[in-house]
Amino acid sequence: MRFDKTSSAGYLANHMARLFAQGLHRRVAPLGLAPAQFMTLLELWAEDGLTQKQLVARLDVEQATMANTLARMERDGLITRTPDPHDARARRIWLTARARDLEHPATVAARAENEAALAPLSDAEREVFLGLMRRVINGLRQG
């Protein structure tokens, strides 16, 4: 029996994620951002001063991936890092004025990509779809 990718939740989720990432990239690249930077900024716009470890946990990414993303963000003038006063091994990540100024245009771009992606769905279908996605994500996180 052949593997039917159109019936595989993992295959479809991965394909959809790649298409979302490509669309988001097209929309945030003019702002000087990459999708991974945007996702990190979302967390920092919600709560500035997080540690790398906290960002890794919130974004479900590998430590090395986050380290590379933060290095690029620091190089690009989006963040600064300072020692954590409570943990000598940790550093706090802070937004720069440039990063704060990007919040509105970047979130507008992301909303536009989400709207374009979900356009084929009715409002009721969107709510069901997003609710099911959240349930699957929570289930995968738990186990």
Side-chain angles (χ1 to χ4, degrees), residues 60-124:
D60 293 317
V61 298
E62 296 293 324
Q63 186 79 277
T65 300
M66 181 54 62
N68 289 334
T69 298
L70 292 173
R72 285 191 306 275
M73 292 175 75
E74 191 169 36
R75 177 201 69 201
D76 294 345
L78 297 170
I79 61 164
T80 59
R81 295 189 253 194
T82 61
D84 185 317
H86 307 293
D87 182 351
R89 297 168 297 152
R91 294 175 61 169
R92 295 277 166 184
I93 297 139
W94 302 97
L95 295 168
T96 63
R98 178 173 182 267
R100 281 189 215 91
D101 289 344
L102 288 172
E103 183 176 6
H104 179 73
T107 55
V108 166
R111 281 189 195 103
E113 184 58 30
N114 274 284
E115 184 59 36
L118 298 177
L121 304 179
S122 69
D123 288 346

Side-chain angles (χ1 to χ4, degrees), residues 14-59:
N14 186 275
H15 190 175
M16 185 172 52
R18 283 193 320 271
L19 292 172
F20 261 109
Q22 290 168 5
L24 181 63
H25 177 74
R26 282 191 303 275
R27 292 179 190 267
V28 299
L31 302 172
L33 296 175
Q37 292 174 323
F38 175 73
M39 301 307 291
T40 304
L41 286 171
L42 281 176
E43 293 300 328
L44 293 169
W45 287 324
E47 185 178 354
D48 203 4
L50 296 171
T51 65
Q52 181 173 320
K53 184 176 181 180
Q54 289 171 315
L55 287 167
V56 164
R58 291 179 185 202
L59 293 170

Side-chain angles (χ1 to χ4, degrees), residues 60 131-143:
D60 293 317
L132 291 171
M133 288 176 70
R134 285 189 287 269
R135 280 176 51 196
V136 170
I137 290 166
N138 287 334
L140 289 169
R141 279 187 173 149
Q142 293 174 5

